[in-house]
Amino acid sequence: MRIMNFNQLMCALFMLCYGMLVASCEPADSSNKLYTYTLSGDTTADAYDEAVTVACIQGILNRDATQLYLLSETYDRPAYWLDTLSASGKWLEKKERTPVATLDELVSLAGKQIKGAIIWDPDVPASLNVATTLAGLEDGIVMSPKQADLYLANWK
């Protein structure tokens, strides 16, 4: 059994997010905006929790059209791919990049497309797998208990 360190896990998460972006791409998309959100990429539990929640929001927003792309303060690869896919003649060429600064703004952008939140249990790591599966099925976001305490009351 292979165990991944945090940096490998974050890299895998970015690749998954990129795959979700590409899979949801529609060349005939009429929206001219591409929202970008930058993850810190640090190795704290809070940064990991934010990345999971933001990846869920990205999946919801990009379900029907390309609307959200994730960048990283730590890793250059996501910015490289965004620049590559935005070059002349590429499918993101005409998209206007619009940065989103906070998680609150991102949730506001998604609005009623987010149908709920699923709180995973950090003491039971496999609960994250169950939570992300349920979130994907129900248009929800996954949050740690700490995140839920910080944000959910403001998002109702």
Side-chain angles (χ1 to χ4, degrees), residues 30-98:
S30 62
S31 172
N32 191 36
K33 286 193 177 187
L34 178 66
Y35 296 97
T36 59
Y37 185 85
T38 303
L39 296 167
S40 68
D42 67 31
T43 59
T44 65
D46 289 343
Y48 178 81
D49 292 345
E50 177 190 29
V52 170
T53 301
V54 171
C56 292
I57 296 169
Q58 182 185 36
I60 291 168
L61 287 175
N62 290 351
R63 185 160 288 160
D64 297 321
T66 306
Q67 296 183 58
L68 178 63
Y69 190 89
L70 300 182
L71 298 168
S72 171
E73 289 178 0
T74 306
Y75 302 104
D76 294 333
R77 190 59 62 191
Y80 166 81
W81 282 112
L82 180 57
D83 291 341
T84 299
L85 297 170
S86 299
S88 180
K90 302 294 182 183
W91 58 268
L92 294 177
E93 172 187 16
K94 296 182 180 176
K95 293 280 192 175
E96 174 191 340
R97 295 183 196 179
T98 305

Side-chain angles (χ1 to χ4, degrees), residues 120-132:
W120 70 285
D121 183 352
D123 292 331
V124 183
S127 69
L128 181 59
N129 297 332
V130 175
T132 55

Side-chain angles (χ1 to χ4, degrees), residues 99-127:
V100 177
T102 67
L103 191 54
D104 287 328
E105 289 177 44
L106 198 55
V107 168
S108 179
L109 177 67
K112 293 183 179 186
Q113 292 178 76
I114 298 174
K115 305 293 189 236
I118 299 164
I119 314 304
W120 70 285
D121 183 352
D123 292 331
V124 183
S127 69

